Amino acid sequence: MRYMGGKQRISKPLSDFLNSQLKENQPFVDLFCGSCNVISKIDSNRLRIANDKHYYLIEMWKALQNGWEMPDTISREEYYYIKKNKDENPPLTGFVGFGCSVFGRWMDDSSYAEDKSGRNYCMNAKNSNLKILSKIQDVIFYNLDYKDVDIPKGAFVYCDIPYKNVKQYSLKEVGKFDHDEFYQWVRDNSDKYEIYISEYKQNIPDDFEIVWECNSKKDVSANFSSKENTVEVLIKWRGVRE
């Protein structure tokens, strides 16, 4: 499913690195799971927990685990009806709100995805989700603020936070993200869990270190072939308080 901020392009090398760092039977927690591109590639021989503050997104994942079937097509009229009636069918809203919107940006900040070729964005999103679904049937999903998740002690915690200095999507659903508060939470909890954070290289706080990096690209216009080069990194707190 096309998802703004998703890790689809780099999920394989990123998850390979994360898997290489995991200890035997160590619980894995994805605090900002989004499109589940990462957790679906994490070794399943352990407890896996996925959380996201976006209610409709988590309702979609939980419904899919329970056998809910996604539609093959969504018309423009159906899209805007769902946009106005989000709570009528929350799993469908979660699916359409991202999978059938331009750039995979949440529908409140976007519009119906269509192009001159007649591409079926709904079917593309469905097929993408089905590939992921087969790998996350045992994942436990939560719809909480990251600070409220009951994380097992000693867990490996991956955080794909909203990147700093990038327009944040879905403010109505999840609220504005406080980066300073988050990084303080990491410092305060690094003795309880192993915490790894995804970010752009230029946004790293001084007391954090890069443990992995990858050249990537992001969409910069409505033309999907137009990309901007970026460097995405995985960072950890150095363990030295300022």
Side-chain angles (χ1 to χ4, degrees), residues 11-29 37-48 135 156 158 194 196 212 234:
S11 62
K12 180 60 167 63
L14 174 58
S15 58
D16 283 348
F17 176 81
L18 295 175
N19 279 320
S20 74
Q21 302 302 301
L22 283 166
K23 300 178 180 68
E24 186 176 1
N25 297 321
Q26 184 179 25
F28 181 90
V29 180
N37 275 307
V38 172
I39 198 168
S40 64
K41 296 178 178 66
I42 295 299
D43 174 33
S44 61
N45 293 318
R46 65 195 67 253
L47 172 66
R48 292 186 297 167
K135 302 172 184 176
F156 189 107
Y158 170 61
E194 288 187 59
Y196 291 74
W212 177 89
L234 202 61

Side-chain angles (χ1 to χ4, degrees), residues 162-215:
Y163 286 5
K164 195 171 184 178
N165 300 322
V166 174
K167 182 178 179 181
Q168 188 182 333
Y169 78 90
S170 199
L171 289 172
K172 181 180 177 181
E173 303 298 338
V174 302
K176 186 175 181 180
F177 189 75
D178 188 324
H179 291 86
D180 292 337
E181 182 180 55
F182 168 75
Y183 281 115
Q184 190 56 52
W185 176 87
V186 174
R187 296 180 187 102
D188 292 342
N189 288 278
S190 287
D191 60 335
K192 301 175 187 175
Y193 328 115
E194 288 187 59
I195 308 175
Y196 291 74
I197 305 127
S198 280
E199 245 294 5
Y200 285 141
K201 193 170 187 176
Q202 66 269 24
N203 295 336
I204 304 169
D206 291 340
D207 56 336
F208 283 71
E209 63 181 347
I210 298 173
V211 296
W212 177 89
E213 65 180 76
C214 181
N215 291 324

Side-chain angles (χ1 to χ4, degrees), residues 92-105:
L92 180 62
T93 299
F95 173 72
V96 171
F98 288 108
C100 300
S101 294
V102 174
F103 287 129
R105 191 192 298 272

Side-chain angles (χ1 to χ4, degrees), residues 24 32 64 78 80 133 170 193 202:
E24 186 176 1
F32 305 81
L64 286 171
E78 288 170 321
Y80 287 106
L133 180 61
S170 199
Y193 328 115
Q202 66 269 24

Side-chain angles (χ1 to χ4, degrees), residues 58-71:
I58 294 301
E59 286 297 297
M60 180 198 74
W61 287 125
K62 292 196 296 187
L64 286 171
Q65 283 184 320
N66 290 322
W68 176 67
E69 294 188 10
M70 296 167 282

